[in-house]
Amino acid sequence: MRSYEAVTRIDAGPEEVWRHLVDVGSWRDWDSGVDRVEGRVALGERLTLYATMIRSRPFSVTVTELRPREAMRWRGGLPLGLAVIERTYGLDAQDDGSTVLTVREDQTGPLAWVTERATPDLNPSFRQFCAGIKARAEAATRASG
């Protein structure tokens, strides 16, 4: 199994962070690691991500979990579970009104080595994503406060 992860504390509540997280159409506006996302965030829906790191290979996933203000999970990979790519966005509300965001991807399955070889190190991209959503959510919180 191969995993990637980034975590950040955001000075905004989970509602604000969630709003930016599920608005995948605007990701390109604040995260230079994403050119665009096609599709809509809804349980069972398909999304296609076009990342700047791998422009020639869009990545398609299915939304498998949506818990507003808490978690969003996507699943992709090879048919029959031969290689499974699961990405989770977790939001943890803090007592001080902030939110801890964790972005994690796990690659598993008997042919996971295929996706591992084709995937560059995602940790820098995940850190960039966290920094982007942090700046966006904190700016929105300051503007409304």
Side-chain angles (χ1 to χ4, degrees), residues 11 17 26 29 49 57 60 63 71 76 84 86 88 100 108-109 131 133 144-145:
D11 290 325
V17 177
S26 73
D29 298 339
L49 285 80
R57 241 186 4 221
S60 292
V63 179
V84 177
E86 193 164 66
T88 305
V100 172
T108 60
I133 198 168
S144 68

Side-chain angles (χ1 to χ4, degrees), residues 5-12 17 30 90-94 98-104 126-138:
E5 184 176 273
V7 180
T8 192
R9 184 181 161 281
I10 301 172
D11 290 325
V17 177
W30 52 264
L91 284 68
D92 185 17
Q94 303 297 296
S98 67
T99 304
V100 172
L101 171 67
T102 302
V103 180
R104 181 178 176 88
F126 283 8
R127 286 191 297 270
Q128 179 180 353
F129 180 90
C130 285
I133 198 168
K134 174 181 173 65
R136 186 78 163 209
E138 289 178 354

Side-chain angles (χ1 to χ4, degrees), residues 4 11 13 28 48-49 52-53 55 58 63 69 82 100 133 145:
Y4 305 95
D11 290 325
R28 69 183 174 278
T48 302
L49 285 80
T52 56
M53 290 177 71
R55 283 195 165 107
V63 179
R69 298 168 302 284
L82 294 173
V100 172
I133 198 168

Side-chain angles (χ1 to χ4, degrees), residues 6-136:
V7 180
T8 192
R9 184 181 161 281
I10 301 172
D11 290 325
E15 184 76 36
E16 185 65 36
V17 177
W18 182 258
R19 187 169 68 85
H20 297 288
L21 181 63
V22 297
D23 184 11
V24 295
S26 73
W27 283 11
R28 69 183 174 278
D29 298 339
W30 52 264
D31 173 33
S32 59
V34 175
D35 283 333
R36 74 181 189 276
V37 180
E38 294 175 352
R40 67 185 186 97
V41 174
L43 201 56
E45 292 289 322
R46 238 169 134 64
L47 299 171
T48 302
L49 285 80
Y50 296 83
T52 56
M53 290 177 71
I54 319 170
R55 283 195 165 107
S56 62
R57 241 186 4 221
F59 177 59
S60 292
V61 296
T62 300
V63 179
T64 59
E65 179 181 8
L66 277 178
R67 287 185 288 131
R69 298 168 302 284
E70 291 179 16
M72 175 169 61
R73 187 180 316 260
W74 302 345
R75 186 178 175 122
L78 298 176
L80 306 174
L82 294 173
V84 177
I85 299 170
E86 193 164 66
R87 185 171 298 177
T88 305
Y89 300 85
L91 284 68
D92 185 17
Q94 303 297 296
D95 290 340
D96 64 359
S98 67
T99 304
V100 172
L101 171 67
T102 302
V103 180
R104 181 178 176 88
E105 181 170 298
D106 295 312
Q107 299 177 2
T108 60
L111 295 181
W113 61 270
V114 173
T115 57
E116 289 173 8
R117 285 184 37 200
T119 305
D121 180 4
L122 296 177
N123 287 318
S125 177
F126 283 8
R127 286 191 297 270
Q128 179 180 353
F129 180 90
C130 285
I133 198 168
K134 174 181 173 65
R136 186 78 163 209

